[in-house]
C-alpha cells in the first residue's frame, strides 16, 4: 500500500473518529444536563422548562399563585394585576391572566396577537407548571398556574419571560452549526493530508525519480532539498552522494582519457624511430649502403635511434614506477649546498666541451645559512638535476652559455631551495603551465629535433614530490629559464655535518 493511500486512510479514520466523538459528546452532555434521553435539539426547551424564571420572578409567581389559591377574585382586579406586572416588568418579565377563553390581563410588553392561541390549555391538575412556547418568531419561557374563579370559570395565570433571540438563533442554527463543524473537521483533515503529502510524499517522489535517473547513468542534475526536516536531510545526503559519484566518474573518465593519451604518445614516439630504422635497414638490404662510409653512417644512425628508443623506454619505465609509487627511495641526510656544489663541478666537467659554463652560487635571495640539510635520495636527486641541466643545455641559444646551480633556504626556514638557471631561449607564457606534464614538449622542442621524450620534467616532478617538495618553472623568452625546487629541511638542520658523511 502506498504512503499516499495509507495517509488518506489514516486521515479518514481520524475524521470519522472525530465526528463520532463529537456526536457522542453532544448527545451525552445533553443527557447529562437534561437527565433525559431526548435529542439535542430539545436541549434548550428542556433547560428553560426546568428553569423558566429567575428567583425574583419565581417569588412574584408564587405570590400570585398563593393569591389564586386563596382569593382568586382578586385576580380580576386590574389595578392589582398592573402593579404585579410592573414589578415583573422591572425584572424583564410579564403577566398574563386568562378567564375561560378571554385574556383578561396581558402584559403590554409581551402582548402578541396570536398569544391567545399559543397559551396552553387549562389543566385543573396543574400537571405542567413550567414550560416554553413559541409565538411567531418570539420564544418564551413561563410558569403557569390554573385555578377556578369563584364563579366557576377556568382561570389561568402566566408569568412569562421572553428568552434571548440568541437562544432561538442557536436553536434554529444548530443543524447548520453541526454541518459547519463537520465541514471544519473534514476540511482540517483534508488540509493536513495535503500538507503531509506535500512535505513527505512529494520529496520522496523526487528522490525516487532521482535514483532512477542515477540508475540510468544520468548524474548531471542537481537535487535541491525543499526543507530542513528528515526528508530534507535525506535529500541533502542523496545530493552529496550524487555529487561524489559524479566526481569519481569524471575522474575515472579523465584517467581513461589520460591512459589513451599516454598510449597514443608512446606509440607515436616509438613509431618515428622505428620508421627511420626500418628505412635504413631496407637501404642496407637493397644495397644502398654500397660504400664502407655509407654503411658506417647507416649503422651509426640505426644505433643512435635504438639508443634513443632505449632511453625512452627507460624513462617511461621510471616514470611509470614513480607514478605507481613502486620505485623505492633510499633517503639519507644530505647537505643540499655541498650536493649542488659537487654536481656543478661534475656537470661543468661534462659540458665544458660544449662551451657551457656551469656555476654554483649560494643564493643572495634567501635567508643566510651554513648548511641546507634535507632528507633525500641522492641518486634520484642527481637524476633531477641532470634532467634540468640537460634541458638547459638543449635549449641554449647564446654565444655565452651559462648554467647556474643555486642553493638557499626559504624565508620561513622550513625548506631548502635549489635553482637551476640558464640563459637559454626561455619559454613562452602559455607553455610554462604544461612543462611538467608527461610527454609535453614545447613547439620549439618538437620542431628543432632536439630529441627528448617530454618525460624529463615529469620525472623530475615525481621525484621532487616523492621528497615532499615542490617544483616550479619561471621563464622569459630570450632571457632564460629558472626551475626552482623546494624540499623540506631535515629536523636539526643547524647541527648536521655536511655531505651525509662521505
Ligand atoms: N631550460 C629550458 N629552456 C627552455 N625550454 C625548456 C627548458 N626546460 C624545459 N623546457 C620546455 O619544456 C618541455 C618539457 O621538457 P622535458 O619534460 O624535459 O621534455 P624534453 O626535454 O624531452 O622535451 C621542453 O620540450 C621544452 O619545451
Ligand atoms: Mg628534458
Amino acid at each position: 500500500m502506498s504512503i499516499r493511500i495509507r495517509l488518506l486512510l489514516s486521515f479518514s479514520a481520524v475524521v470519522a473518529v472525530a465526528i463520532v466523538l463529537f456526536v457522542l459528546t453532544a448527545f451525552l452532555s445533553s443527557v447529562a444536563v437534561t437527565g433525559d434521553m431526548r435529542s439535542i435539539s430539545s436541549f434548550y426547551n428542556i433547560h428553560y422548562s426546568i428553569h423558566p424564571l429567575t428567583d425574583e420572578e419565581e417569588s412574584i409567581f408564587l405570590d400570585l399563585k398563593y393569591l389564586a389559591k386563596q382569593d382568586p377574585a382578586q385576580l380580576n382586579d386590574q389595578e392589582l394585576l398592573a402593579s404585579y406586572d410592573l414589578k415583573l416588568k422591572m425584572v424583564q418579565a410579564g403577566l398574563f391572566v386568562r378567564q375561560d377563553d378571554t385574556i383578561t390581563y396581558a402584559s403590554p410588553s409581551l402582548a402578541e396577537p396570536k398569544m391567545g392561541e399559543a397559551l396552553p390549555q387549562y389543566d385543573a391538575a396543574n400537571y405542567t407548571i413550567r414550560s416554553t412556547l413559541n409565538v411567531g418568531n418570539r420564544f418564551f419561557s413561563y410558569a403557569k398556574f390554573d385555578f377556578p374563579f369563584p364563579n366557576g370559570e377556568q382561570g389561568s395565570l402566566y408569568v412569562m419571560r421572553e428568552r434571548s433571540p440568541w437562544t432561538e438563533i442557536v436553536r434554529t442554527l444548530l443543524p447548520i452549526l453541526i454541518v459547519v463543524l463537520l465541514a471544519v473537521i473534514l476540511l482540517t483533515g483534508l488540509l493536513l493530508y495535503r500538507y503531509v503529502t506535500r512535505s513527505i510524499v512529494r520529496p520522496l517522489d523526487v528522490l525516487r525519480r532521482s535514483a532512477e535517473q542515477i540508475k540510468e547513468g544520468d548524474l548531471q542534475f542537481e537535487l535541491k532539498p525543499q526543507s530542513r526536516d528528515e526528508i530534507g536531510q535525506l535529500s541533502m545526503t542523496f545530493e552529496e552522494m550524487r555529487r561524489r559519484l559524479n566526481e569519481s566518474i569524471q575522474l575515472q573518465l579523465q584517467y581513461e582519457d589520460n591512459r589513451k593519451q599516454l598510449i597514443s604518445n608512446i606509440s607515436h614516439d616509438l613509431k618515428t624511430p622505428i620508421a627511420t630504422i626500418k628505412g635504413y635497414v631496407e637501404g642496407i638490404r637493397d644495397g644502398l649502403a654500397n660504400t664502407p662510409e655509407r654503411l658506417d653512417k647507416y649503422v651509426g644512425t640505426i644505433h643512435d635511434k635504438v639508443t634513443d628508443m632505449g632511453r625512452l623506454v627507460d624513462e617511461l619505465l621510471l616514470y611509470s614506477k614513480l607514478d605507481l609509487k613502486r620505485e623505492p627511495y633510499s633517503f639519507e641526510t644530505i647537505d643540499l649546498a655541498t650536493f649542488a656544489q659537487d654536481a656543478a663541478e661534475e656537470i661543468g666537467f661534462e659540458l665544458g666541451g660544449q662551451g657551457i659554463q656551469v656555476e654554483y652560487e649560494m643564493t643572495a635571495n634567501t635567508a643566510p645559512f651554513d648548511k641546507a640539510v634535507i632528507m633525500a635520495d641522492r641518486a634520484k636527486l642527481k637524476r633531477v638535476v641532470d634532467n634540468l641541466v640537460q634541458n638547459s643545455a638543449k635549449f641554449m641559444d647564446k654565444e655565452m652559455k651559462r648554467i647556474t646551480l643555486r642553493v638557499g633556504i626559504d624565508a620561513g626556514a622550513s625548506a631548502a631551495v635549489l635553482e637551476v638557471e640558464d640563459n637559454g631561449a626561455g619559454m613562452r607564457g602559455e607553455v610554462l603551465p604544461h612543462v611538467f606534464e608527461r610527454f609535453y614538449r614545447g613547439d620549439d622542442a618538437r620542431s628543432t629535433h632536439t630529441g627528448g621524450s617530454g618525460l624529463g620534467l615529469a620525472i623530475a616532478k615525481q621525484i621532487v614530490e616523492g621528497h615532499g617538495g615542490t617544483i616550479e618553472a619561471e621563464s622569459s623568452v630570450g632571457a632564460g629559464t629558472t626551475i626552482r625546487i623546494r624540499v623540506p629541511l631535515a629536523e636539526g638542520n643547524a647541527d648536521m655535518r655536511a655531505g651525509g658523511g662521505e
Side-chain angles (χ1 to χ4, degrees), residues 214-263:
I214 290 180
K215 194 178 78 187
E216 300 298 325
D218 175 13
L219 287 159
Q220 306 299 328
F221 62 91
E222 198 182 337
L223 191 65
K224 288 200 184 76
Q226 306 288 336
S227 57
R228 297 176 152 275
D229 57 12
E230 289 84 344
I231 299 231
Q233 285 164 7
L234 182 64
S235 300
M236 249 143 73
T237 317
F238 194 87
E239 167 63 13
E240 175 72 11
M241 183 191 82
R242 182 204 62 80
R243 205 176 51 73
R244 295 234 183 126
L245 207 58
N246 194 24
E247 268 174 17
S248 85
I249 284 178
Q250 293 303 327
L251 203 68
Q252 210 65 40
L253 287 177
Q254 206 187 325
Y255 280 152
E256 185 73 358
D257 216 43
N258 275 356
R259 201 178 54 80
K260 285 184 189 152
Q261 192 83 42
L262 193 67
I263 290 174

Side-chain angles (χ1 to χ4, degrees), residues 315 387-388 390-392 394-395 451-457:
E315 284 189 342
N387 281 3
L388 299 183
Q390 267 170 32
N391 282 347
S392 293
K394 204 155 60 176
F395 300 105
S453 57
L455 283 171
L457 288 182

Side-chain angles (χ1 to χ4, degrees), residues 213-404:
Q213 243 171 305
I214 290 180
K215 194 178 78 187
E216 300 298 325
D218 175 13
L219 287 159
Q220 306 299 328
F221 62 91
E222 198 182 337
L223 191 65
K224 288 200 184 76
Q226 306 288 336
S227 57
R228 297 176 152 275
D229 57 12
E230 289 84 344
I231 299 231
Q233 285 164 7
L234 182 64
S235 300
M236 249 143 73
T237 317
F238 194 87
E239 167 63 13
E240 175 72 11
M241 183 191 82
R242 182 204 62 80
R243 205 176 51 73
R244 295 234 183 126
L245 207 58
N246 194 24
E247 268 174 17
S248 85
I249 284 178
Q250 293 303 327
L251 203 68
Q252 210 65 40
L253 287 177
Q254 206 187 325
Y255 280 152
E256 185 73 358
D257 216 43
N258 275 356
R259 201 178 54 80
K260 285 184 189 152
Q261 192 83 42
L262 193 67
I263 290 174
S264 123
N265 284 334
I266 295 170
S267 340
H268 178 264
D269 282 11
L270 288 176
K271 206 175 136 191
T272 326
I274 285 174
T276 316
I277 291 168
K278 196 179 164 220
Y280 279 94
V281 168
E282 279 170 4
I284 294 171
R285 189 192 62 191
D286 297 347
L288 285 178
N290 44 16
T291 64
E293 295 81 45
R294 262 201 188 160
L295 186 63
D296 213 35
K297 192 187 147 219
Y298 276 31
V299 172
T301 311
I302 291 170
H303 181 262
D304 285 353
K305 290 292 163 190
V306 171
T307 315
D308 279 355
M309 274 169 66
R311 197 184 312 123
L312 171 62
V313 171
D314 279 350
E315 284 189 342
L316 202 56
L317 206 63
L318 176 61
Y319 176 80
S320 114
K321 274 189 190 166
L322 288 166
D323 197 26
L324 294 170
K325 314 269 182 271
R326 294 241 176 89
E327 176 71 12
Y329 287 77
S330 59
F331 287 107
E332 54 184 310
T333 49
I334 290 174
D335 174 20
L336 195 61
T338 316
F339 173 84
Q341 208 168 358
D342 293 350
E345 213 170 288
E346 188 190 318
I347 294 163
F349 183 71
E350 283 168 16
L351 295 182
Q354 299 174 36
I356 299 174
Q357 198 184 334
V358 181
E359 290 169 356
Y360 166 77
E361 259 180 26
M362 263 193 162
T363 180
N365 291 338
T366 59
F369 67 100
D370 293 329
K371 291 173 294 225
V373 179
I374 57 171
M375 294 297 291
D377 182 320
R378 188 180 286 274
K380 292 205 175 60
L381 200 60
K382 183 65 174 31
R383 170 109 203 197
V384 172
V385 174
D386 283 345
N387 281 3
L388 299 183
V389 169
Q390 267 170 32
N391 282 347
S392 293
K394 204 155 60 176
F395 300 105
M396 282 297 179
D397 62 347
K398 310 261 174 358
E399 199 61 40
M400 251 300 283
K401 302 178 171 97
R402 189 161 33 78
I403 296 176
T404 311

Side-chain angles (χ1 to χ4, degrees), residues 85-128:
D85 191 33
L86 191 69
K87 275 196 225 165
L88 283 169
K89 200 176 169 173
M90 309 260 271
V91 290
Q92 273 143 30
L95 174 67
F96 284 83
V97 177
R98 190 175 62 186
Q99 200 164 352
D100 273 349
D101 288 333
T102 37
I103 294 175
T104 52
Y105 186 87
S107 191
S109 59
L110 300 181
E112 276 280 326
K114 297 233 167 104
M115 186 60 91
E117 298 159 31
L119 287 175
Q121 289 304 307
Y122 180 82
D123 165 28
N126 276 313
Y127 187 70
T128 310

Side-chain angles (χ1 to χ4, degrees), residues 50-70:
I50 296 167
H51 304 288
L53 303 177
T54 62
D55 289 347
E56 286 163 86
E57 290 157 4
E58 189 72 22
S59 81
I60 297 172
F61 170 69
L62 290 177
D63 281 359
L64 284 164
K65 188 176 155 188
Y66 179 79
L67 214 61
K69 271 189 186 161
Q70 302 303 319

